Amino acid sequence: MMDLSVVIVNYNVRQFLENALSSVKRAMNGLQGEIFVVDNGSNDGSVEMVRMKFPEVCLVESKINLGFAKANNLALKRASGRFLMLLNPDTVVQEDTFKVMLEFFDDNPDVGLAGCKVLNPDGSFQRACRRSFPTPWVAFTKIMGLSTLFPKSKLFGKYNLTYLSTDETYEVEAISGSFMMMRREAYLRVGGLDESFFMYGEDIDWCYRVAQAGFKVYYVHSTKIIHYKGESTKRSDIDEIKLFYNAMQLFVEKHFSTSWVVEFFLTTGILLRAGIAFLGKARRTLLLACIDIILVDCALLIGEYVYFGKMFHLPRYAYPVVWLVPGLIVAMTMYFSGAYTTHRYSLSRAAVSTGISYVLISALVYFAKDFAFSRAMVLIAGFVSVLLLPGFRLGLITFGRGGTQGRARKSLFGRRTVIVGTGYSAQEVLRKLRVRVDDGYDILGFIDMNRKKVGEKIAGVEIIGSIDNVGKVISERKVGEVIFSTEGISYIDILSVIARSNNRGVNFRLVPNSLESIIGKTRVDQLDDIPLVDIEYNIQKPVNRFAKRSFDLCCSFILLIIAYPIVGLRRLISYGGRGGLLRQRILLLPQVFSGRLSIVGRPLSDAEDVHSTDGRPSDPARNLASYLGARGLTGLVQINNREDLRHEEEEGYNVYYAKNQSLMLDIEIIMKSVQLFFKRRRRA
């Protein structure tokens, strides 16, 4: 008989599944085992990936989403191992995890079910991996917040057993469904998961039934896994909050229905907790709406001050309505336009929604005579609001709060990042990230396995630390992202680094051996795109061309008045010296004003857009250059310029800019250029 049967149920998490299977294969080394993957009707290429990269895996396909319990049972009925393992696809196990767990079971024959230490992606302890059954008292302490207020109290901290050490092994009532190892004898006695549970609740129900059958349930601290948690639900239309609390309701009805008092109390608590969870899920939308209302009120105060010469000029009775109604109208218009959901960081959508809102407000003021104090004040407030609301979103994007989600294009201002590993795989990650202009990574350097090569450079990037002092590097360099190249580094080392750095506020991310993606808690980034041919780039669209030219005219006109005379005078005094890079760029402002150059564009060293006598570009190279836009004082190539920049990388930057050009992108490039200028001056 085989030692172990591992069962993984997958639903649309191909990148996570690939990484999980890679770690499982390493952990299976030296064991006799089998791996089952039950696919619940995925449409993301998961099935094809398993067939191609893991042909030894027993693949069970379902055309529909059967739910977690039913899908696991399909594989459990076919499994032949002495021990059965249920593992989530969004997990990573250590090389020693299965061996440690098997040794524990062999040493403790009375244990029927056990789980190990589970870490969040940031290295913190995932409390759900050991918990108690939701008895009336345990549920009461959780619902009332007592378990959070007094986590170290044995009386109040039973829900997640927070009063117990995470670095000890002991008997518990329930463990997490992300990692459950069961003795075959226990499975034969209690059967598979209860298929009444579609998702959530089936794990705690299994633990309850195992305990009722006379076996012990244990938490084992001596090995650990990472669990990304909730990845399948993100890729579906499943209402996870509703499913979770329906599952809790089902568990109560199944195991605590002997007393109507107990059932009523627990049901009420579950409903109350579900309501709190719903509000928690919507908190970001509510917070953004509240900020918008406050900004609208500020705009109204500014309008009042500009028009009347002082604030609080209106009658006292008017202020509750004036401060509430316009803000609510703006918030409702923003909500229906998608500015709080799918287009949370869209500047144009925020501006248009605000403008439409003030048209409605003006109409209301016309009909509400008691509040028709001044149409001019409303007009001024509307103009200020159109600046404030998109400006607030611009601030979120620029300073990182909105730079990685909610938008098709991310910010150029990436998080400070190190790559763990120095081999071919790590260098390929670096190369691919360099051409991914806006994926939010500012690469600081490599982390090697030892200190021998610290200070050396690979592909133009310095090795700044080793695996044993990565915590110090994170702290001193203010690192925000740590990317592990899983080739050449063990999962034990990876999880050890993550566990040691769990209080540093860092995102830890993994790159599977395929080098196709970077997976993490906040997002999955594809490293390889499907090549598509664009019919028209943004930079050639009439609206974008008009906005870009207007921006160039305004900026160059202002700088010609303010900066150009000073720089020109200094040049005369220094008898025509070239001066620094900034001075050289300022001296080119007349060409920006005339339209020969742009503030943001291709490098100045590129071919100039010269036309023949019939008005057409004189050769194919210039034709392409013309299509990618004018040359610029700064641009993506200029801010990414380095000694080993290859020609194809430069072309990639130019094409990316032409495809994605917008006023917002131009502003980001200018801000990034200013940031780099001051950084170089500090180094000098």
Side-chain angles (χ1 to χ4, degrees), residues 218-234:
Y218 257 76
Y219 162 78
V220 180
H221 82 284
S222 48
T223 188
K224 53 187 173 289
I225 69 168
I226 294 176
H227 181 209
Y228 289 91
K229 198 173 184 180
E231 292 301 326
S232 292
T233 56
K234 291 178 183 177

Side-chain angles (χ1 to χ4, degrees), residues 468-509:
D468 60 336
N469 75 337
V470 64
K472 184 179 180 182
V473 173
I474 290 171
S475 178
E476 291 181 350
R477 304 256 183 165
K478 298 181 174 59
V479 174
E481 299 264 353
V482 176
I483 299 176
F484 291 95
S485 168
T486 55
E487 185 180 59
I489 180 172
S490 71
Y491 286 103
I492 291 177
D493 286 334
I494 291 173
L495 269 72
S496 295
V497 170
I498 293 173
R500 292 200 306 269
S501 308
N502 63 357
N503 293 319
R504 302 182 189 274
V506 180
N507 289 332
F508 295 95
R509 317 194 71 197

Side-chain angles (χ1 to χ4, degrees), residues 427 430-431 434 446 457-462 642 644-645:
Q427 292 178 47
L430 172 67
R431 184 184 66 80
R434 277 175 167 173
F446 289 111
K457 285 190 175 183
I458 299 176
V461 175
E462 186 180 354
R642 59 185 189 277
D644 64 334
L645 183 67

Side-chain angles (χ1 to χ4, degrees), residues 592-611:
V592 175
F593 190 77
S594 66
R596 288 190 62 190
L597 298 178
S598 178
I599 298 289
V600 179
R602 296 179 291 113
L604 295 172
S605 57
D606 275 13
E608 188 175 358
D609 183 20
V610 180
H611 290 75

